[in-house]
Amino acid sequence: MNYLKKIKPSVRALETYAVKGKTFQPGLIKLNQNENPFDVPDEIKRELTEEFLKRPWNRYPEVFPVDLLVALSSYVRQDVEGIIAGNGSNELMYTILMATVSKGTKVLIPSPSFFLYEKAVKVFDGEVVSVKMNDDLSFPTEKILRSARKEKPAVIVLVSPNSPTGQSISIDDVEKILDGTSSLVLVDEAYIEFSERRSVQPLLEKHDRLVILRTFSKAFSMAGLRIGYLLAQPALCSELLKPKIPFSVNAFSASVAIKLMQRKEIIDERITFIKNQKKHLFNMLRSFEGVEVFPSDTNFLIFRTRYEAGTLFQRLLQRNVIVRDVSSYPMLERTLRVNAGTEQENKAFLAVLQELL
Ligand SMILES: Cc1ncc(COP(=O)(O)O)c(C=O)c1O
């Protein structure tokens, strides 16, 4: 097993990413990955696949996808030089941490939060500074500030709305953290379209240490096509572009993203529907005896029951309902996460859960 000695110890200690449960098949009530339950409309699928029949598939796309960046620029109202697109925002997370983290570099991450940040920091041999969320799972702004002053992390990661908890940090608190530290502040806004809070984008003008991450995987129904982007001041973007994998955005996915930004009214209607369904799920779960449901500012929510989460997860799965078991995260014992699906999916989930409880 000599070859294993060549693998970094920090990598050997990691686990391979896996999503527990079943892969998607028709009939499965899939509420485990915070996806949009509605697919890209057929009319758009047809239009773009026909267009792509005529395009050469043997040629590289552009190193960085100019048409997509131009479309994003008018969509987010920010200069092209302040935007980087990637193959999903996961790729850009790695890009940012590749540019900032080496052996021993500290990265402050409130906990619990999106697992991939901690994993990527470890891949680059950095050190995670973990700050526990408040008991009600809201963001501990003062604790973050205190810890950052002491530990001096290179990067502070704020996922807002946060996964898996569903709660957000206010723009004022993000500004406090920017003003009170000298760290690069990465705000992951993967779920911002479902939030009642404002994006932190207005802070970009004043703060050259702010990076915002967004994705087309959630509100824009494009999880399978992989498009994400980041916003930062141009000078920071030009540094972040250096370690970035070239050609990672494929031409087809870029075209779909452009088309969906042009047809934003379709997306907006879906967002409103999903937010209402989430409220319905919240109210129904709150009415179930023995269920504690946490407030959510996004398209999913977490709830705690008396039962062991893994067992309840398996029982739901046996009934063809897949949710996420988040009970291995700190503070989330006996807790499951569920995203808002279609009306029928939510109804089915609630009926099966009620029966099992
Ligand atoms: C907080 C957060 N950021 C990013 C992502 C991943 O986004 P993408 O599909 O753009 O890589 C997810 C997906 O679950 C997420 O929960």
Side-chain angles (χ1 to χ4, degrees), residues 36 40-41 43-44 71-72 74-77 191-195 201 214-216 218-222 229 256-273 275:
N36 196 311
V40 172
E43 128 207 35
I44 294 179
L72 276 168
S74 61
Y75 175 67
V76 299
R77 299 200 177 88
Y191 301 98
I192 191 66
E193 294 88 350
F194 301 111
S195 171
Q201 197 184 336
R214 303 240 183 96
T215 182
F216 278 79
K218 312 294 178 183
F220 281 86
S221 300
M222 278 182 58
Y229 61 100
V256 181
I258 293 168
K259 180 63 78 185
L260 290 175
M261 281 188 276
Q262 289 162 352
R263 302 292 305 275
K264 185 66 189 340
E265 73 286 352
I266 302 174
I267 305 299
D268 286 338
E269 203 178 301
R270 292 170 167 193
I271 291 169
T272 306
F273 179 88
K275 279 163 71 174

Side-chain angles (χ1 to χ4, degrees), residues 88-90 93 114 159 163 188 190-191 215 217-218 226:
S89 58
N90 286 352
M93 264 171 224
F114 190 51
V159 178
S163 177
D188 182 338
Y191 301 98
T215 182
S217 295
K218 312 294 178 183
R226 319 298 306 130

Side-chain angles (χ1 to χ4, degrees), residues 13 18 80 82 89 107 110 113 154 174 185 194 228 240 246 253 268 314 333:
V80 167
S89 58
V107 177
S113 192
V174 173
V185 176
F194 301 111
L240 296 177
S253 299
D268 286 338
Q314 285 300 340
E333 64 283 355

Side-chain angles (χ1 to χ4, degrees), residues 17 32-35 86-93 113-117 158-164 188-191 213-218 222-224 226-229 300 324 337:
Y17 183 51
N32 64 334
Q33 285 186 289
N34 302 342
E35 297 152 329
N87 189 328
S89 58
N90 286 352
E91 185 212 341
L92 297 170
M93 264 171 224
S113 192
F114 190 51
F115 79 99
L116 200 55
Y117 286 103
L158 304 168
V159 178
S160 180
N162 185 42
S163 177
D188 182 338
E189 293 192 334
Y191 301 98
L213 259 189
R214 303 240 183 96
T215 182
F216 278 79
S217 295
K218 312 294 178 183
M222 278 182 58
R226 319 298 306 130
I227 295 285
Y229 61 100
F300 60 86
R324 188 69 143 243
R337 191 189 73 192

Side-chain angles (χ1 to χ4, degrees), residues 20-21 303 305-318 321 323-328 332-337 356:
K20 261 207 285 183
F303 61 98
T305 74
R306 293 182 222 127
Y307 304 103
E308 201 270 312
T311 311
L312 189 52
F313 169 85
Q314 285 300 340
R315 296 262 158 85
L316 283 160
L317 196 59
Q318 282 160 9
V321 176
V323 297
R324 188 69 143 243
D325 175 2
V326 291
S327 62
S328 60
L332 300 186
E333 64 283 355
R334 290 177 283 108
T335 304
L336 295 175
R337 191 189 73 192
L356 292 174

Side-chain angles (χ1 to χ4, degrees), residues 39-70:
D39 198 354
V40 172
D42 273 352
E43 128 207 35
I44 294 179
K45 282 187 169 177
R46 233 174 267 125
E47 196 182 313
L48 287 169
T49 41
E50 261 161 44
E51 185 191 322
F52 267 76
L53 284 177
K54 294 179 220 134
R55 291 240 219 144
W57 291 19
N58 58 328
R59 303 295 176 192
Y60 277 102
E62 281 156 311
V63 181
F64 303 117
V66 180
D67 292 349
L68 174 61
L69 293 173
V70 169

Side-chain angles (χ1 to χ4, degrees), residues 172-192:
D172 292 344
D173 280 5
V174 173
E175 186 153 40
K176 256 196 222 167
I177 292 169
L178 279 161
D179 286 336
T181 69
S182 54
S183 311
L184 205 131
V185 176
L186 162 55
V187 182
D188 182 338
E189 293 192 334
Y191 301 98
I192 191 66

